Amino acid sequence: MEPVTLGLAGGGLVGGLLLGLFGRKIRDRKKIKSAEAVAAQIVKQAKDQAHHSENQARNRARQIEQEAQRQAEREARRREQEVRELERRVKDKERELENKIQNAETRENRAKDV
């Protein structure tokens, strides 16, 4: 073989190797950028999901708090009604006793008159 042919073949081989290495480097950079983009998207989705879950938890806590307050108000109204009913019963008993006392006094006065 001639030295020129060998030189060209060697130059072509070196050039091919350099082009291959350069191409591989470009391809690796693209893969890294793609992987970084995917990772960034996963992180964004995770943050969005965490934010959504946090909002749901706040809403649920607010609902529970409101329901507890409604129950407390219902219980307070029920107890107030119960107290009013007891007061009514006591007043009825007082009237009944007053009537009995009055009837007894009336009978006693009639008995004295007789």
Side-chain angles (χ1 to χ4, degrees):
M1 279 198 161
E2 292 188 28
V4 174
T5 306
L6 282 178
L8 286 174
L13 182 62
V14 170
L17 284 173
L18 289 176
L19 282 175
L21 290 174
F22 184 69
R24 184 175 184 171
K25 191 173 187 177
I26 289 173
R27 188 185 71 220
D28 290 345
R29 281 186 189 164
K30 285 182 181 179
K31 282 185 180 181
I32 289 171
K33 283 184 182 181
S34 176
E36 287 173 346
V38 168
Q41 183 63 28
I42 290 170
V43 169
K44 182 185 179 306
Q45 287 174 347
K47 284 181 180 179
D48 289 346
Q49 187 175 6
H51 183 69
H52 180 70
S53 295
E54 187 176 310
N55 285 341
Q56 283 183 323
R58 274 194 208 111
N59 289 339
R60 181 67 181 135
R62 192 176 307 116
Q63 288 172 348
I64 290 169
E65 181 180 350
Q66 289 171 348
E67 180 58 29
Q69 186 166 357
R70 283 191 294 271
Q71 283 181 333
E73 289 170 356
R74 280 193 298 269
E75 180 65 17
R77 284 191 299 274
R78 185 190 66 77
R79 287 184 181 192
E80 287 172 1
Q81 180 63 34
E82 190 176 297
V83 167
R84 283 192 294 272
E85 177 62 21
L86 289 172
E87 287 174 345
R88 184 193 62 75
R89 289 174 61 195
V90 166
K91 285 180 183 179
D92 288 349
K93 289 287 184 184
E94 286 175 347
R95 277 189 223 111
E96 187 179 314
L97 285 173
E98 285 174 6
N99 287 337
K100 284 182 180 182
I101 290 171
Q102 198 172 32
N103 289 339
E105 287 175 350
T106 303
R107 280 192 306 264
E108 186 179 315
N109 288 337
R110 283 186 193 160
K112 284 182 185 178
D113 288 343
V114 175

